[in-house]
Amino acid sequence: MKLLSLTLAALLLLSQLTPGSTQKCWNLHGRCRQKCSRKERIYVYCTNNKLCCVKPKYQPREKLWSS
């Protein structure tokens, strides 16, 4: 029983430390990364000095002011 509980505890710990998980940014639509993929653009910087990579459809559009 102790071995089973130790194994489960180790698996839970390892699932939290996966290297593929990234921090989310920009209203949970972006991901903090060192380099953005082809389909993503940089909009802001994350708090950990990485790029916040966001798909263009989630970025706000610039409003053109008319006179």
Side-chain angles (χ1 to χ4, degrees):
M1 185 66 178
K2 287 184 181 181
L3 183 60
L4 179 63
S5 62
L6 181 62
T7 304
L8 288 174
L11 288 174
L12 287 172
L13 180 64
L14 288 175
S15 69
Q16 296 297 319
L17 299 175
T18 55
S21 63
T22 56
Q23 182 182 1
K24 292 195 175 196
C25 56
W26 192 249
N27 296 326
L28 303 176
H29 291 296
R31 301 247 179 203
C32 298
R33 298 185 180 145
Q34 293 289 345
K35 186 177 178 183
C36 296
S37 69
R38 291 182 188 175
K39 296 180 181 180
E40 296 174 331
R41 293 187 185 158
I42 304 165
Y43 188 68
V44 293
Y45 286 92
C46 297
T47 55
N48 56 3
N49 294 330
K50 291 184 180 181
L51 307 172
C52 182
C53 302
V54 183
K55 292 183 180 179
K57 68 179 183 178
Y58 294 119
Q59 290 183 356
R61 294 191 178 106
E62 291 183 29
K63 292 183 179 179
L64 299 175
W65 296 94
S66 59
S67 302

